[in-house]
Amino acid sequence: MHDTALALARRPEARSVEVATGALDVFAELNVPDHDALLTLVDAGIGRLEGVVDIHTSVVLRLLLTASDWAPYDDEPTDVRRHAIEGRRLPEPPVVDELDRRLVALLRRDARMSTTRLARELRVGETTARRRLGRLMASHVLHLRLHAEPEVLGYPVEARFRLAVAHARLDAAIRRLAEEPAVRHLVVTTGTTALLGYSSHRSTWDLHDFTARVLGSLDGVTSAEVAVLMRTYKRAGFESGP
């Protein structure tokens, strides 16, 4: 399992990779451009890794919260979290062109890069670079955040939860979960579990309280699975640990 998780974490398509309590599975979030690319990755890539005996895939239908919206020390929720709490969808993202992709690539390399240097690297005017950056951030396509392990911030216990929710109750469940500062990632997926989320806690007691107080109070939940993360191999696109 360890070698499989390492091999997955080294793949450029992998955004996150972890193992958790429960079934001896390696769980990975992958970014691919389309369904054909996913099929190719599963068939010709992941399926041929040593030790892989079974693969289950789900497609993210709605991305509700990401690590960029987990701000446990902030007094106010982020704009994205506020939209989820209020049951409002975010505006449709703008069309991203090659210049935008190059700008994002530069910031991924050095998020502190000034607009003057961005303009120089992109070979455009500084006004253009500033306008492009502002548009991407305002539309939530791009977030500039400090990457830190939750344990460093005082949240050493991380959990993954999967909930099967009746469709008529799904929106209410999303709003309730978005209200909880502990929830740092939340998506709607295909498959038997409609909601997949991650939460961070100060202790196992806090996790127990979260499951009883929040997950246990959701209407329309037909099944729930909560697992404690044992090791994270990759987070937000960056490999973790030694």
Side-chain angles (χ1 to χ4, degrees):
M1 183 171 63
H2 173 69
D3 291 341
T4 302
L6 280 177
L8 271 173
R10 289 165 183 160
R11 296 196 66 95
E13 304 94 342
R15 188 176 183 277
S16 66
V17 178
E18 81 258 350
V19 294
T21 55
L24 295 178
D25 295 334
V26 178
F27 200 91
E29 178 186 350
L30 307 166
N31 288 333
V32 292
D34 52 43
H35 295 166
D36 287 339
L38 175 60
L39 179 60
T40 300
L41 176 62
V42 169
D43 182 46
I46 299 173
R48 300 189 182 185
L49 293 176
E50 185 176 355
V52 173
V53 297
D54 190 24
I55 300 175
H56 175 77
T57 60
S58 297
V59 175
V60 173
L61 301 176
R62 290 176 61 188
L63 180 62
L64 301 162
L65 298 174
T66 70
S68 295
D69 304 300
W70 184 65
Y73 295 106
D74 289 356
D75 295 329
E76 296 293 331
T78 65
D79 288 341
V80 174
R81 187 180 290 270
R82 186 177 292 106
H83 273 72
I85 293 171
E86 296 173 358
R88 295 184 291 124
R89 291 181 180 268
L90 290 170
E92 287 296 318
V95 176
V96 176
D97 60 19
E98 183 59 28
L99 181 61
D100 293 324
R101 294 187 183 93
R102 288 166 52 204
L103 186 151
V104 171
L106 288 170
L107 290 174
R108 182 177 177 81
R109 193 175 69 198
D110 181 2
R112 296 173 295 180
M113 192 175 295
S114 66
T115 53
T116 301
R117 186 179 169 191
L118 280 172
R120 185 170 63 252
E121 295 281 349
L122 295 170
R123 297 183 180 180
V124 298
E126 189 170 345
T127 300
T128 298
R130 185 179 297 109
R131 184 175 63 248
R132 288 293 185 115
L133 177 60
R135 180 175 66 94
L136 291 174
M137 295 186 67
S139 60
H140 305 292
V141 171
L142 174 67
H143 295 274
L144 298 178
R145 296 292 297 269
L146 174 67
H147 175 73
E149 295 291 328
E151 183 176 5
V152 175
L153 300 177
Y155 294 83
V157 178
E158 298 182 80
R160 181 180 70 225
F161 58 88
R162 294 193 280 189
L163 309 175
V165 185
H167 187 72
R169 301 291 186 179
L170 184 58
D171 286 345
I174 290 171
R175 292 196 299 272
R176 177 67 186 93
L177 288 168
E179 290 176 350
E180 287 296 316
V183 177
R184 61 177 176 82
H185 190 86
L186 188 64
V187 297
V188 178
T189 73
T190 59
T192 56
T193 53
L195 282 174
L196 168 66
Y198 290 82
S199 57
S200 298
H201 308 273
R202 293 189 179 277
S203 65
T204 53
W205 173 255
D206 284 345
L207 172 58
H208 172 71
D209 175 71
F210 171 78
T211 56
R213 178 177 52 83
V214 180
L215 302 186
S217 68
L218 296 175
D219 291 333
V221 175
T222 57
S223 69
E225 176 190 334
V226 180
V228 175
L229 301 193
M230 294 189 293
R231 179 170 176 179
T232 298
Y233 288 79
K234 198 171 189 178
R235 188 196 303 275
F238 297 94
E239 292 187 46
S240 305

